[in-house]
Amino acid sequence: ADTWRYAFEEALEEVQGKYAQKFKEEIEANSDHEIQLFPFGTLGESVDTMEQAQAGILQFVDQSPGFTGALIPEAQVFFVPYLLPQDNESLFKFFRDSKAIHELFPPLYAEQGLELLSMFPEGEVCMTTQEPVHSPEDLNEVKFRVMTNPLLVESYKAFGATPTPLPWGEVYGAMQTGIIQGQENPRFFLESTKMYEVTDVITCIGHNNFTTAVMANKDFYDGLGEEDQQLIQNAADAAFEYILDYQVALGDESFEKIKEAKPEIEINILSEEERKPFMATSASVEEAFIGMTGDKGAEILAQMKADLEAASK
Amino acid sequence: MLAVGVLLMAANTIANVVGRFAFGESLFFAEELNRLLIILITFAGISYAARQGRHIRMSAIYDTLPPRPRKALMIVISIVTALLMFALCYYAVGYIETQASRGRVLPALSIPVWITLVWAPVGFFMTGAQYALTAVKNIVEKDIYLSTNVLEGYDDDEMEV
Amino acid sequence: MALTIFSIMIILLLLGFPMMIPLIVGAGVGFYQMMNGFGQMETMVQQFMAGIRPASLIAVPLFIFAADIMTRGQSANRLIDMVMAFTGHIKGGLAVSTAAACTMFGAVSGSTQATVVAIGSPLRPRMLKAGYKDSFVLALIVNASDIAFLIPPSIGMIIYGVVSNTSIAELFIAGIGPGLLILVLFSIYSIIYAYRNDVPTEARTGWGDRLRAVREALWPLGFPVIIIGGIYGGVFSPTEAAAACVLYAIILEFIVFRSMNAAAIYETAKSTGLITAVVFILVAAGAAFSWIISFAQIPQQVLTAIGITEMGPIGVLFVISIAFFIGCMFVDPIVVILVMVPIFAPVVKSVGLDPVLVGAIITLQVAIGSATPPFGCDIFTAIAVFKRPYVEVIRGTPPFIVILLGVSVAMIFFPQIALFLRDLAFGY
Ligand code: NA
Ligand code: NA
């Protein structure tokens, strides 16, 4: 019996934490191995745990592919807007069947010493702002906090906002005092980080679904017997199926909680028609992505689009 | 180097504010540049602090010892500290090699991460050298030295560095 | 393993090793044991670098720099002269003003270390001149600075709020009551101290002189305007306000007062760099140490051994208080919150405690821990800035700790200290 360590980027009761708990439950129910869970911050930031997984100190690690850009530039494709299905049924199909995820990405992760076990959606990314947003014009002059990632910056420039970098720890305060007027995050995160307390409007434009990758250290994984490898794959699959429905329910529940805590909040799910001008901006972001990643990136982008099409049928 | 680091950090942070207000553009590299500068300040600073005998320690028991054992203890402290600093220097070089081999890059500055870290092993080495020299000085000279150029005892001129 | 590590650390500390050595050895022994050898020491270096990575740390050297320029030049003295003109005739007036200034500056800057420097550097010499003992002055500055954790904005509360899924707005308001209570108690103690030690007072200043003092301080009064107005007005983040203060301090001392030349400013920058390095290397080593403690799951083991799940609400609050207090004595507060809040979360829920109350109590313990030996970050800062020996910096601490612990116990039995304002504001 071995003890395996698994670090993720969120708290125990958030989406990654729930996935990890399910994964742990499956492994421990079907073997005599034990899994120790390390939620966000307990072993450092996301970059730190990623390196620790590469060094073999951690057996399993979660990292949103968007954050993996410094290591695997192609993974930033998940920051290109409107590449993922906007309805749940197609979204699940996409994540189950995507060729990009299941065939093109694993070798890229393997080059970094990582076995890609799974990618799963964590929930639709929505904006919170002080004023209602129905079109890109409404984002004019809005200082919008984004992570320091060139593609996110490009996206929000294209949406018409003024992208403003700010460390996450300062966002709540900066929103309260008015240094910035907007930020984006997955639905459940808007609730758990209390962003609604310091903003008045939530707007969902369907541009992205926050995605996470689950990885194992490759040397560790390759050194396991077939039985243990199967055990891990089964646990990852079970946790994946569990999390698909869970994250949808959690997203809805989060919005209910927000409405309860702040009845005057305005939640706008933009219509197909209203989304169009936002969707029209994605070409410039795609260009920037290909500029950063070259042919390999172009191949992945094309495959993602093909996968999107297949899932939407 | 140390002073320049501090001045650059202030200038960089102010420039970001000015950029945001005057031109409606934030400097996306400002945070990364500050991160790089804080590493420079910390690791350039620890060897300077070692030379000035300014590293924080609790000397209550040490101070009560008679001169001879106190001197012996100071030599032991200096040697052990020097060795640990050299060990950290060694592992820091290893860490930088690993970083370089993975090719991680800072997203906004787009310079390799390992370059931002080179001050760490340099700082550890210089600090180790300072403590090694302090040990030598204490062995050679009659007085007890806190560092290569500071004799024991807190000075009264406390607002000056 | 934990016991071995803590014993080695205490011994090295007492022998007089530089403070970074106990932390480095403690971390090193932990790594050696957990990783079966020296094969993974690079991760220790990684955590050194991670320790000094947080963006919020940048405010510390910048505030140190600004305060250092103000103190070496004339700005600080003009400000203090003005305060003295109004409070100099009151027994303990200067000490109470210092405590209040620490609370206010800490509240807006959000950094206890920056507060120690910014308020302590100019006010300490003046308090010494006024007849206060250094041990009292140092302890007052270090402990009053920690009220910063409780008064919003508070980075500790933001992190607690996110980890425990608690309203940050409610936490912010719940911190104000205990924060002000502590300020009041510190002030009362300061006045008692002034009477018992018969600290002399100055003659009451006439209104003409008071007006003159205010006029002299007009330029330096721009500092509170920049900090408070800038931050609450949405112009700056706290870090940016610190940089703006540096710029303003240079403008005042270099151009307006002509009290410093370029060489003096360069020297000040160098001194700032040294103080920063001396404190930050401890932050870095502390990060490596707390990483291995977290990796070895030592908090979980200890808490399971105590049998926390069997206790009632009061018992749980006591265990939480003690655990965070001890944790923060050795490890960076933010890491303590991240590691321990999830461990306690199920118990807090099962005994039905208000998470806002728990958050306020935890924040208070974090504040106390940062000012408490052996590894209190604010103590390090005070040593580095004021160049006084460790023991002297902590000698006057006990009465303050007694007050803080008294408030902790009071909060457990009278939660309204924290919740009164919250209930009022949110209509519970
Ligand atoms: Na504060
Ligand atoms: Na502490």
Side-chain angles (χ1 to χ4, degrees):
Chain A
D2 294 324
T3 299
W4 294 336
R5 294 182 172 85
Y6 183 173
F8 41 94
E9 298 170 292
E10 289 165 13
L12 211 48
E13 297 303 317
E14 292 176 329
V15 178
Q16 290 186 16
K18 281 291 187 183
Y19 178 99
Q21 289 190 53
K22 181 75 180 169
F23 182 80
K24 172 184 162 85
E25 196 184 300
E26 290 289 322
I27 295 276
E28 291 179 353
N30 296 304
S31 72
D32 52 3
H33 301 309
E34 186 206 341
I35 301 246
Q36 286 180 356
L37 298 180
F38 293 92
F40 166 76
T42 52
L43 292 182
E45 291 178 35
S46 181
V47 255
D48 300 324
T49 48
M50 186 72 157
E51 285 178 19
Q52 290 155 21
Q54 287 180 295
I57 291 178
L58 300 174
Q59 282 72 36
F60 303 102
V61 71
D62 278 5
Q63 190 173 56
S64 171
F67 298 142
T68 315
L71 219 50
I72 306 171
E74 294 85 353
Q76 295 177 85
V77 77
F78 287 93
F79 279 151
V80 176
Y82 298 107
L83 271 191
L84 297 176
Q86 296 173 45
D87 67 297
N88 287 324
E89 201 188 325
S90 317
L91 186 77
F92 293 1
K93 211 164 137 200
F94 178 91
F95 275 94
R96 285 196 189 105
D97 303 334
S98 162
K99 255 185 153 168
I101 290 176
H102 296 283
E103 288 171 27
L104 297 184
F105 271 118
L108 294 176
Y109 279 84
E111 275 174 37
Q112 295 294 335
L114 298 161
E115 176 79 24
L116 180 62
L117 295 176
S118 176
M119 282 196 190
F120 63 84
E122 289 199 48
E124 183 186 7
V125 175
C126 297
M127 316 180 198
T128 65
T129 49
Q130 308 299 1
E131 302 289 334
V133 176
H134 290 285
S135 70
E137 285 74 53
D138 294 330
L139 283 172
N140 259 347
E141 304 284 301
V142 171
K143 293 198 185 82
F144 204 98
R145 185 266 176 182
V146 293
M147 288 179 291
T148 356
N149 179 287
L151 289 178
L152 275 179
V153 174
E154 193 58 45
S155 293
Y156 274 89
K157 267 193 192 148
F159 288 166
T162 305
T164 306
L166 205 65
W168 175 244
E170 287 183 13
V171 173
Y172 186 95
M175 203 72 95
Q176 206 167 27
T177 60
I179 295 179
I180 50 168
Q181 297 91 37
Q183 62 90 39
E184 62 153 41
N185 260 307
R187 285 179 173 217
F188 76 91
F189 216 62
L190 300 180
E191 197 275 323
S192 68
T193 57
K194 309 297 164 199
M195 277 302 137
Y196 63 87
E197 292 180 351
V198 285
T199 42
D200 298 327
V201 183
I202 298 176
T203 310
C204 302
I205 61 170
H207 67 303
N208 200 2
N209 197 303
F210 196 77
T211 302
T212 288
V214 186
M215 297 150 274
N217 173 286
K218 192 150 176 44
D219 291 337
F220 152 76
Y221 185 83
D222 290 345
L224 292 174
E226 223 163 273
E227 200 179 318
D228 276 342
Q229 286 186 350
Q230 197 55 51
L231 170 78
I232 290 171
Q233 291 297 347
N234 291 346
D237 289 345
F240 171 80
E241 289 299 331
Y242 161 79
I243 215 69
L244 285 182
D245 290 324
Y246 180 83
Q247 54 92 22
V248 173
L250 182 68
D252 294 343
E253 191 188 315
S254 300
F255 273 12
E256 288 312 311
K257 274 193 193 163
I258 290 176
K259 280 186 219 158
E260 198 180 315
K262 185 172 177 174
E264 68 273 25
I265 193 96
E266 187 177 332
I267 299 182
N268 295 327
I269 316 288
L270 294 200
S271 66
E272 199 106 346
E273 203 52 39
E274 286 174 311
R275 290 182 186 196
K276 274 193 180 138
F278 287 102
M279 295 176 79
T281 64
S282 62
S284 68
V285 187
E286 288 176 13
E287 231 166 80
F289 172 72
I290 292 174
M292 286 160 57
T293 53
D295 290 347
K296 187 78 208 167
E299 185 194 345
I300 286 187
L301 184 63
Q303 187 59 54
M304 291 280 285
K305 284 181 167 177
D307 294 343
L308 172 67
E309 189 132 334
S312 307
K313 264 179 202 154
Chain B
M1 209 62 213
L2 197 52
V4 174
V6 174
L7 289 166
L8 274 178
M9 181 179 276
N12 173 40
T13 311
I14 292 167
N16 189 31
V17 183
V18 173
R20 195 172 63 223
F21 275 89
F23 308 108
E25 288 276 338
S26 290
L27 304 176
F28 272 86
F29 57 81
E31 193 188 333
E32 289 173 6
L33 187 58
N34 273 348
R35 200 172 277 182
L36 188 153
L37 289 169
I38 203 71
I39 295 174
L40 185 151
I41 292 169
T42 303
F43 287 95
I46 53 169
S47 60
Y48 180 61
R51 193 170 68 202
Q52 303 294 329
R54 285 287 301 274
H55 276 287
I56 295 165
R57 53 197 280 265
M58 179 144 99
S59 53
I61 295 177
Y62 169 94
D63 287 341
T64 61
L65 296 174
R68 279 187 70 88
R70 202 161 75 228
K71 191 176 175 86
L73 184 54
M74 182 48 87
I75 293 169
V76 172
I77 288 175
S78 303
I79 292 174
V80 171
T81 306
L83 289 175
L84 283 168
M85 289 296 122
F86 290 141
L88 282 173
C89 171
Y90 172 80
Y91 290 120
V93 170
Y95 179 63
I96 288 177
E97 279 173 2
T98 310
Q99 288 285 336
S101 72
R102 292 201 181 122
R104 268 187 55 217
V105 173
L106 287 175
L109 283 173
S110 55
I111 56 171
V113 169
W114 70 267
I115 289 181
T116 67
L117 306 173
V118 287
W119 276 101
V122 175
F124 282 133
F125 181 82
M126 304 276 280
T127 310
Q130 283 296 336
Y131 278 101
L133 290 173
T134 306
V136 172
K137 192 144 187 170
N138 275 303
I139 293 169
V140 176
E141 308 258 343
K142 208 171 115 280
D143 292 317
I144 305 177
Y145 281 84
L146 270 183
S147 72
T148 44
N149 61 1
V150 178
L151 266 171
E152 213 179 60
Y154 276 82
D155 51 4
D156 291 326
D157 184 14
E158 58 213 41
M159 296 315 291
E160 283 297 317
V161 173
Chain C
M1 181 181 101
L3 203 62
T4 324
I5 291 179
F6 284 114
S7 318
I8 295 175
M9 287 171 72
I10 299 292
I11 291 169
L12 290 174
L13 182 78
L14 293 177
L15 281 175
F17 276 82
M19 198 71 95
M20 59 184 163
I21 298 302
L23 290 166
I24 291 169
V25 172
V29 171
F31 267 86
Y32 183 83
Q33 292 200 344
M34 290 303 292
M35 311 293 178
N36 304 314
F38 289 116
Q40 296 285 7
M41 296 304 274
E42 282 180 18
T43 299
M44 191 166 141
V45 176
Q46 177 206 51
Q47 285 305 303
F48 264 76
M49 308 318 278
I52 53 175
R53 194 193 300 142
S56 54
L57 281 180
I58 304 290
V60 177
L62 293 177
F63 274 124
I64 293 178
F65 193 26
D68 219 357
I69 297 172
M70 289 171 69
T71 313
R72 291 182 196 216
Q74 297 177 1
S75 309
N77 272 328
R78 290 178 187 223
L79 278 176
I80 299 168
D81 284 340
M82 187 191 76
V83 174
M84 288 296 281
F86 288 90
T87 62
H89 62 285
I90 303 166
K91 204 110 175 140
L94 187 56
V96 173
S97 306
T98 303
C102 284
T103 307
M104 247 166 56
F105 183 85
V108 287
S109 77
S111 164
T112 58
Q113 286 141 282
T115 310
V116 168
V117 186
I119 305 299
S121 320
L123 277 166
R124 174 167 162 267
R126 197 57 79 89
M127 286 187 74
L128 295 179
K129 215 165 92 192
Y132 293 91
K133 275 205 210 90
D134 205 11
S135 57
F136 169 80
V137 176
L138 290 166
L140 176 70
I141 293 168
V142 166
N143 285 284
S145 298
D146 285 320
I147 302 175
F149 271 119
L150 284 158
I151 310 261
S154 157
I155 186 72
M157 282 183 164
I158 291 181
I159 291 179
Y160 172 84
V162 172
V163 179
S164 67
N165 200 357
T166 308
S167 162
I168 296 166
E170 289 187 30
L171 283 166
F172 275 4
I173 287 187
I176 295 175
L180 291 182
L181 175 64
I182 292 167
L183 174 63
V184 168
L185 292 174
F186 281 2
S187 300
I188 293 173
Y189 170 66
S190 297
I191 294 169
I192 293 173
Y193 176 93
Y195 273 100
R196 288 233 330 243
N197 293 272
D198 201 23
V199 179
T201 52
E202 291 176 8
R204 182 187 284 272
T205 318
W207 279 102
D209 286 332
R210 284 183 180 176
L211 209 64
R212 203 163 306 125
V214 172
R215 207 176 310 128
E216 284 289 296
L218 270 186
W219 277 102
L221 277 172
F223 284 105
V225 174
I226 290 177
I227 298 174
I228 299 176
I231 293 177
Y232 287 126
V235 185
F236 305 131
S237 72
T239 310
E240 292 165 350
C245 283
V246 170
L247 181 65
Y248 189 61
I250 292 178
I251 291 173
L252 284 195
E253 304 297 348
F254 187 63
I255 299 171
V256 180
F257 301 150
R258 295 181 177 278
S259 53
M260 285 173 96
N261 57 20
I265 289 172
Y266 185 84
E267 268 312 301
T268 312
K270 197 165 165 184
S271 138
T272 298
L274 185 144
I275 294 168
T276 307
V278 163
V279 175
F280 279 17
I281 194 66
L282 294 173
V283 174
F289 175 70
S290 36
W291 188 92
I292 196 68
I293 295 291
S294 173
F295 184 79
Q297 302 220 315
I298 286 172
Q300 285 89 333
Q301 290 167 17
V302 173
L303 290 172
T304 314
I306 293 173
I308 177 116
T309 43
E310 330 267 288
M311 295 176 179
I314 300 281
V316 169
L317 282 179
F318 267 104
V319 174
I320 287 178
S321 299
I322 294 167
F324 277 85
F325 174 66
I326 294 178
C328 291
M329 280 168 67
F330 287 92
V331 170
D332 179 69
I334 302 300
V335 177
V336 176
I337 294 175
L338 286 169
V339 172
M340 299 222 293
V341 168
I343 305 175
F344 279 112
V347 189
V348 168
K349 204 169 176 185
S350 72
V351 297
L353 280 165
D354 185 336
V356 174
L357 173 67
V358 175
I361 287 177
I362 286 176
T363 311
L364 174 58
Q365 297 313 316
V366 163
I368 303 176
S370 303
T372 311
F375 297 99
C377 214
D378 298 332
I379 298 175
F380 301 155
T381 312
I383 296 170
V385 175
F386 306 133
K387 292 182 81 178
R388 303 316 296 162
Y390 190 98
V391 177
E392 202 174 311
V393 172
I394 62 168
R395 184 173 296 141
T397 301
F400 292 97
I401 301 282
V402 168
I403 291 174
L404 290 166
L405 293 179
V407 174
S408 309
V409 175
M411 271 172 79
I412 292 177
F413 290 104
F414 306 101
Q416 285 308 315
I417 295 172
L419 301 182
F420 170 71
L421 281 176
R422 194 273 312 253
D423 294 352
L424 205 65
F426 287 85
Y428 286 119

